[in-house]
Every structure is written in C-alpha cells, then in structure tokens.
Amino acid sequence: MSTRKHRVNEAIRARQVRLIGPDGKQVGVVPLMEALAMARQYGLDLVEVAPQADPPVCRIMDYGKFLYEQAKKEREARKALKQIVVKEIRLRPTTDPHHVGFKVRDARRFLNDGNKVKVQVRMRGREITHLQLATEMLQRFAEQVADVGMVEIPPSMEGQSMVMVLAPLRRKGGQPAERKVESSSEVIGGAQDSDPQGDR
C-alpha cells in the first residue's frame, strides 16, 4: 500500500467487498455494511486497498497510524539521500603556480567537506594545441590532493576545456566514499564555481 488517497469507511462505494481482517487474514466476500460493522467492533477503519478488484479488496486497519508510519518512512528515506554537490575550480594553462596553490587549498577543503570537485583547465586560441600541458597540470593537481581525494573521472575534453573530477576519499562523517563514476552531464549539472573570475 502506498500513501495515495484511499476510500475509507463510508466513502467506499461497493455493495460487497473482499475483506482482510486486522490480523492480515482473508475473511472472504462480505456485504459492505457487515465489513463496516466489523471494523467498528475492532475500533479501526475499513480501507479500500485494491479498488480495481472485483469485488474491491478492503482491509481493517488503523488508517491514521498507517499514514503516520508511511510519512515517517518517506522522511527517513529523504534524509538518507545525500545530495551530490560538485564544486568547480577553473584554471588556465598560464595560471601562476602560486595561484594554483590557492586552488589546491580550496579543493582540499571541498573534498574534506564531502563534496566532489570538478577541475577545469580552460584553453583559448592556440592553447588548444598543447593538450599535454593541460593534462600534466591536472595530474599534478590530483597528486597534491591525493591524501583526501581520488580521481573519479580522469582528464578529458569538454569543448575548449580539459576536465577532471575528484571525489572525496571519505565522506563527511568519516564513512568511506563509494567509488562510483558518474556521467559528465550529471557532474556539470551540479557544478559550483569556487572562483567566479577563474582566469587569473
């Protein structure tokens, strides 16, 4: 049963129903009025759980308690879902090593917080002919954060940029991170820029 709206008690329209008792056992096909009387005897509700059946299946239960427990399960399930946050760091092939150090520091902070990091080396004009420089730059970057992050998506081209995605070695709270590779579209969709200027 889901938390969709059910017909309950007098809202049930069928003349007779296939009844399931409060213990989950089949009672059989009975008139609706008899099923309602039985539910009242138990101090519970008569709930239509399979309206498409012929006759419809109804169950005697505490409907309010059922809705409460289902809502509680849904809340717990939502809490268990961790939203993937991907921080973005942008570099240029000509970025000063000192400034790269600041970017590495940012990446380490993001990874320690349990976030993923998308490192992007943007190239312009003839810089696109020197892809090896961008690859080596990203490899050095990964080496400098290797104690807190792992390469989840190795360097690859996205338009005019060479891109690499890092994942934390441990999630926030100390749990090991899952070694799961995500698609580039998912990564890009959640990206956040750690440096709006990024071209310095």
Side-chain angles (χ1 to χ4, degrees):
M1 290 178 61
S2 66
T3 54
R4 62 180 173 79
K5 187 175 181 180
H6 300 89
R7 293 193 184 100
V8 181
N9 298 325
E10 286 74 13
I12 300 172
R13 301 169 185 170
R15 293 183 178 180
Q16 59 181 14
V17 299
R18 186 174 301 278
L19 184 63
I20 301 174
D23 55 0
K25 294 182 180 179
Q26 292 271 356
V27 176
V29 177
V30 300
L32 175 62
M33 298 308 295
E34 182 179 334
L36 286 169
M38 289 181 63
R40 282 193 288 268
Q41 287 177 2
Y42 285 107
L44 300 173
D45 302 298
L46 182 66
V47 183
E48 189 179 58
V49 297
Q52 295 83 8
D54 185 19
V57 179
C58 292
R59 182 170 181 174
I60 296 174
M61 66 168 68
D62 185 336
Y63 189 56
K65 182 179 179 181
F66 165 76
L67 291 179
Y68 172 78
E69 291 177 349
Q70 290 298 309
K72 184 178 179 180
K73 289 179 182 179
E74 290 177 1
R75 287 195 301 270
E76 291 174 352
R78 286 194 295 268
K79 289 180 181 178
L81 291 175
K82 176 178 172 58
Q83 183 178 3
I84 298 176
V85 177
V86 182
K87 301 289 187 175
E88 183 170 320
I89 289 178
R90 295 179 180 177
L91 301 169
R92 291 287 312 285
T94 56
T95 301
D96 181 86
H98 180 69
H99 188 63
V100 173
F102 289 118
K103 300 288 190 175
V104 169
R105 181 194 62 189
D106 290 341
R108 294 180 66 86
R109 185 177 77 253
F110 296 149
L111 292 166
N112 280 324
D113 286 342
N115 300 315
K116 296 185 180 183
V117 178
K118 175 183 176 182
V119 188
Q120 177 181 10
V121 180
R122 296 188 298 182
M123 290 167 282
R124 296 175 180 172
R126 294 185 178 180
E127 290 174 349
I128 198 69
T129 61
H130 301 287
L131 297 182
Q132 185 60 28
L133 294 177
T135 301
E136 292 174 355
M137 190 175 195
L138 291 175
Q139 289 173 344
R140 288 195 300 270
F141 196 101
E143 291 171 0
Q144 294 180 74
V145 299
D147 58 321
V148 293
M150 61 183 178
V151 176
E152 185 173 65
I153 300 180
S156 60
M157 289 300 297
E158 277 187 15
Q160 295 291 108
S161 300
M162 179 78 71
V163 173
M164 170 182 69
V165 176
L166 303 169
L169 288 180
R170 301 189 73 81
R171 288 178 176 170
K172 193 172 184 180
Q175 296 182 351
E178 295 181 3
R179 292 179 175 268
K180 178 183 177 183
V181 178
E182 300 173 14
S183 65
S184 298
S185 59
E186 181 180 355
V187 172
I188 296 170
Q192 296 183 15
D193 195 351
S194 67
D195 183 358
Q197 296 178 358
D199 291 337
R200 292 180 294 175

